[in-house]
């Protein structure tokens, strides 16, 4: 399965916890995708009221969904009826700039290794203007699920 649309359709998330708007590129070695922070995101309510800033844990999740899960699904060569369950195993992320509502984020990951079902990547997250907001290493597993 190499179609971007198929990968998006099979992602095991839905709003309000789906943080992938589009896959821009995906190969055996890397993935690039985007997500735009909406004004009505659930995590903005109550997080610095009057001055909403995207929490680092959400930035990490965006990076995982785009940079780790989509790439793992591509590497697994899933069929169109596959169901997957991602398991996030480790993160080492530096946060470098704040992210606000309506910022469009571009996430790029590069595979470090993929073996025994475990994927490790270097991942960067930038605003459309090129400002790096977070970068680091992420690892996880994506396994086929019966549900």
């Amino acid at each position: 399965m190499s179609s971007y649309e198929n990968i998006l359709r099979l992602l095991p998330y839905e709003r309000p916890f789906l943080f992938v708007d589009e896959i821009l590129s995906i190969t055996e070695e890397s993935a690039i995708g985007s997500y735009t922070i909406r004004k009505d995101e659930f995590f903005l309510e109550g997080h610095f009221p009057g001055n909403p800033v995207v929490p680092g844990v959400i930035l990490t999740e965006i990076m995982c969904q785009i940079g780790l899960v989509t790439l793992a699904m591509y590497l697994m060569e899933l069929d169109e009826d596959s169901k997957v369950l991602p398991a996030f195993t480790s993160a080492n992320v530096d946060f470098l700039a704040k992210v606000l509502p309506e910022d469009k984020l571009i996430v790029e990951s590069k595979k470090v290794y993929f073996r025994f079902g475990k994927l490790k990547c270097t991942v960067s997250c930038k605003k459309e203007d090129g400002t790096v907001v977070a970068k680091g290493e992420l690892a996880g597993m994506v396994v086929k699920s019966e549900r």
Side-chain angles (χ1 to χ4, degrees):
M1 173 191 69
S2 61
S3 162
Y4 299 172
E5 293 80 24
N6 286 340
I7 293 171
L8 287 172
R9 185 177 58 76
L10 293 175
L11 283 169
Y13 312 101
E14 58 185 42
R15 293 274 309 143
F17 214 76
L18 172 64
F19 300 120
V20 184
D21 287 334
E22 63 183 327
I23 299 170
L24 303 168
S25 171
I26 198 160
T27 69
E28 295 283 324
E29 299 299 320
S30 66
I32 302 171
S34 70
Y35 183 72
T36 300
I37 306 298
R38 292 151 180 84
K39 287 182 178 181
D40 65 346
E41 300 280 9
F42 73 93
F43 51 81
L44 293 173
E45 186 178 331
H47 191 254
F48 305 127
N51 186 23
V53 175
V54 176
V57 67
I58 297 295
L59 289 175
T60 303
E61 181 66 25
I62 293 167
M63 293 166 67
C64 283
Q65 286 187 21
I66 295 173
L68 202 63
V69 177
T70 63
L71 182 55
M73 291 173 68
Y74 178 83
L75 294 171
M76 291 172 68
E77 299 177 356
L78 301 169
D79 62 47
E80 300 210 8
D81 296 320
S82 295
K83 301 221 183 302
V84 297
L85 181 62
F88 184 51
T89 58
S90 68
N92 181 11
V93 178
D94 292 322
F95 302 101
L96 306 167
K98 67 182 175 178
V99 176
L100 304 173
E102 300 186 333
D103 281 342
K104 181 175 183 176
L105 302 175
I106 309 296
V107 175
E108 182 172 354
S109 71
K110 293 186 187 331
K111 178 178 75 176
V112 174
Y113 65 77
F114 179 63
R115 61 180 172 259
F116 307 116
K118 186 172 182 179
L119 176 62
K120 184 174 186 177
C121 298
T122 58
V123 183
S124 68
C125 182
K126 301 176 185 176
K127 294 183 185 182
E128 263 188 311
D129 68 4
T131 303
V132 177
V133 299
K135 65 180 182 176
E137 283 191 337
L138 303 172
M141 298 178 73
V142 176
V143 296
K144 290 184 181 181
S145 171
E146 297 300 316
R147 297 176 150 206

